[in-house]
Amino acid sequence: MIPVQGFDGHKVAVLGLGRSGLSAARALRAGGAEVLVWDDNPGAREKAEVEGFVTVDLLRAGVFDDIACLVTSPGIPHLYPQPNPVIAAALEAGVPVDNDIGLFFRSLGGDAWDGFDRAPKVLAVTGSNGKSTTSALIHHILTAAGRESQLAGNIGRGVLDIDPPGDGGVVVLELSSYQTELARALTPDVAVFTNLSPDHLDRHAGLGGYFAAKRRLFAEGGPDRAVIGVDEVEGRFLANQLAEGPGDDRVIRIASGRKLAGPGWMVFARKGFLAEWRKGRQVASIDLRDIKGLPGAHNHQNACAAYAATRALGLSPRDIEAGLRSYQGLPHRSQLVAELGDIRFVNDSKATNVDAALQALLAFDRIRWICGGLMKDGGLEGLARGLPHVAKAYVIGREADRFALGLPGVEAEICTTMDRAVAQAVAEAQPGEVVLLAPAAASFDQYDNFEKRGEDFAARVKAALGQAG
């Protein structure tokens, strides 16, 4: 645990008692704060009370009169589309609002670090797509190379639940826009921006607000090194703002599908090969084409980001390549769940938006595509480049008819349920094809989350193939 500093003897309120909320409450108490907690869910309140926390309705009149800070969970709106009533009350009362990420950065470190030969580092990853894979890949590469590493934030453990890092240890954080937008302290040593595509626009009042939330990690965090994906104009703009000139190697530009040029530090993947260039010369190259845990151009971009980040921490190209080759992938992200002869079954349930699904479609040549769910704003036009790879679509979800209408030129069968979609895809798949779950939509019309959707897909595939779970 990382005890929260700065609130010893003060009252702090915690709103939302999920993983991050309870973790923050424990860490605040460990740091000497008097913690008051609230969640609209009675079951969550009961769980907190069992741990000895005092539950207080934070909408009660006068409750913020002596509160030093309100700590809120990332899923609770604090600005758009409108603030949660409790957060609105805190804003009205002038009480600072923070989250567990802000508490972590203000509390990390201590006297013990004075005796370390190498100070611990924090490496933070944000972006629209690929940040979970990139974070897990960085953690894996570091661990495989013998470096102490902990994975936390939006993946792995709650950020305040981790152990204090040891000599030379690295904390790898995956950070969502919800987390970076609100955190009052953001001071990573290395920060990574993977890419940007429209997502969570209601929470940020549009694409500009969404990008601004990501940008805070760099503009306010002031990392020693920034790894920036420059395949979109927002990334190119961010890299330009951070660098003092073309040769400033505090900024490492990364790209997928094209070569980068110039005097700076660059890592890019092209035709399946990753290349590192510095000062106009190539210094390393890795063949990514046969790495099963990283299929497709989108995963090659993730590999570039992880390579650049770990190079910024001092790892050698040889050690990084060994880590890339031993990486098995994350569940629900281009996850190979089964094979039947020359037919592969891939679970990419995390592809909840159009851009992520497009990258999954582009990763394979001939696809039996299971798609659909709760559609997001913006339509399906962004999938156009990937549709020629689709042999047939099997559409699930309550909006299956509407979804299928957005797939011009694609043979689409309205299946509605995962059970029927998998059964049809298994029956019709031919050698050399991939049965791919890449929904391009949220899961909440039929599942609690994308993980449950992916687990259902994998279980039904294995049942259809007669394999043990």
Side-chain angles (χ1 to χ4, degrees), residues 323-337:
L324 292 173
R325 294 196 175 282
S326 61
Y327 179 67
Q328 297 297 309
L330 279 175
H332 317 298
R333 297 162 178 87
S334 299
Q335 177 193 16
L336 181 65
V337 297

Side-chain angles (χ1 to χ4, degrees), residues 214-235:
K214 302 285 189 186
R215 181 179 175 275
R216 286 193 74 238
L217 183 64
F218 303 86
E220 300 186 30
D224 296 331
R225 279 254 161 70
V227 176
I228 308 293
V230 295
D231 287 331
E232 295 87 29
V233 66
E234 291 88 356

Side-chain angles (χ1 to χ4, degrees), residues 264-282:
W265 194 351
M266 292 160 290
V267 179
F268 56 88
R270 187 166 175 260
K271 297 182 179 179
F273 287 86
L274 180 152
E276 177 188 5
W277 285 64
R278 297 186 75 171
K279 299 180 180 178
R281 299 180 61 185
Q282 182 172 321

